[in-house]
Amino acid sequence: LLAELKKREEADKKEKRVIFIGPPGCGKGTQAPKLLSSVPAGCSMCHLATGDMLRACVASGSPKGIELKKTMESGQLVSDDTVIDLIKDSLKRPDCKSGFILDGFPRTIVQAEKLDGMLTQSKLKIDKAFEFKIDDSLLVRRICGRLIHPGSGRSYHKEFAPPKVAMKDDITGEALIQRSDDNEKSLRERLVQFHKMTKPVISYYHKTGRLETINADQSADAVFADIKDALRS
């Protein structure tokens, strides 16, 4: 038993660079903070959500941020290389020294290949790509009650995981929001697009032996236990 515990402790201290792939409402936003808070003392791991990185870059007012703002306001798609550069810059942060959770990227095989190329240049690699598997019909109930803390990305649910105080973040006490596109019609459209885009990406990580499929239709604690077991294997 002691040997097994020691083995787990050593596995938990290893650097981990992972990707979370899953449809809206699958539980990625719940699992990311749980994984970050489980990192042992002396180690640090960051959560890189591409949407948050793009918004932070624009808000910074830097030359890169100004250019990015022009691109986004004109309705053009942000280039893959721009996103890769933002990820590369983020990896220099002290809180990313022991690894990261990448959320919302890659969404295409080209992006996955470019990400692998950038990491290889830095002598790094993606260890695991987690696919959060759940039936689309179960997501409607989940999504339509979802609440978000804009500052941190923490997510709650009116029915399944309510905040301690209604519409307030548990940690900061700041107001929670419900996204305007968190409705059934919008969700079903997003799911069609998600499956169309990400099926090849899931296949890419499967072929390279890095895919871990997680049953997301279970309690948050059970999902987290599956993720931890996969990272220790």
Side-chain angles (χ1 to χ4, degrees), residues 153-207:
R154 279 186 289 277
S155 60
Y156 300 85
H157 193 280
K158 291 176 182 176
E159 181 182 352
F160 304 127
K164 293 171 185 172
V165 178
M167 296 304 292
K168 300 285 185 185
D169 178 51
D170 287 352
I171 295 174
T172 65
E174 294 168 350
L176 302 175
I177 63 165
Q178 185 159 19
R179 285 173 39 166
S180 58
D181 57 352
D182 280 354
N183 60 75
E184 185 170 350
K185 181 177 180 293
S186 178
L187 172 62
R188 293 197 183 278
E189 290 171 356
R190 285 156 68 196
L191 287 172
V192 169
Q193 188 65 17
F194 170 82
H195 292 307
K196 183 179 177 182
M197 286 183 71
T198 57
K199 195 172 182 181
V201 177
I202 289 167
S203 177
Y204 173 83
Y205 286 111
H206 176 70
K207 286 175 183 174

Side-chain angles (χ1 to χ4, degrees), residues 67-78:
E67 281 301 310
L68 187 56
K69 186 178 181 182
K70 287 178 187 175
T71 301
M72 293 168 77
E73 286 182 346
S74 69
Q76 296 178 57
L77 288 174
V78 177

Side-chain angles (χ1 to χ4, degrees), residues 102-149:
L102 189 53
D103 182 356
F105 190 91
R107 296 188 179 190
T108 67
I109 289 180
V110 171
Q111 291 175 350
E113 289 173 341
K114 287 187 175 185
L115 176 64
D116 276 346
M118 181 273 286
L119 291 173
T120 299
Q121 287 177 358
S122 304
K123 295 184 171 58
L124 302 173
K125 65 181 177 66
I126 296 297
D127 298 302
K128 299 279 185 184
F130 287 99
E131 177 195 11
F132 287 67
K133 192 98 169 173
I134 184 168
D135 193 271
D136 286 357
S137 62
L138 299 173
L139 293 172
V140 174
R141 195 171 163 206
R142 280 192 179 189
I143 278 283
C144 294
R146 187 167 68 169
L147 302 169
I148 307 289
H149 176 238

Side-chain angles (χ1 to χ4, degrees), residues 49-59 68 72 78 82-83 86:
T50 48
D52 293 343
M53 285 192 289
L54 291 168
R55 286 186 287 273
C57 184
V58 169
L68 187 56
M72 293 168 77
V78 177
T82 297
V83 179
L86 286 174

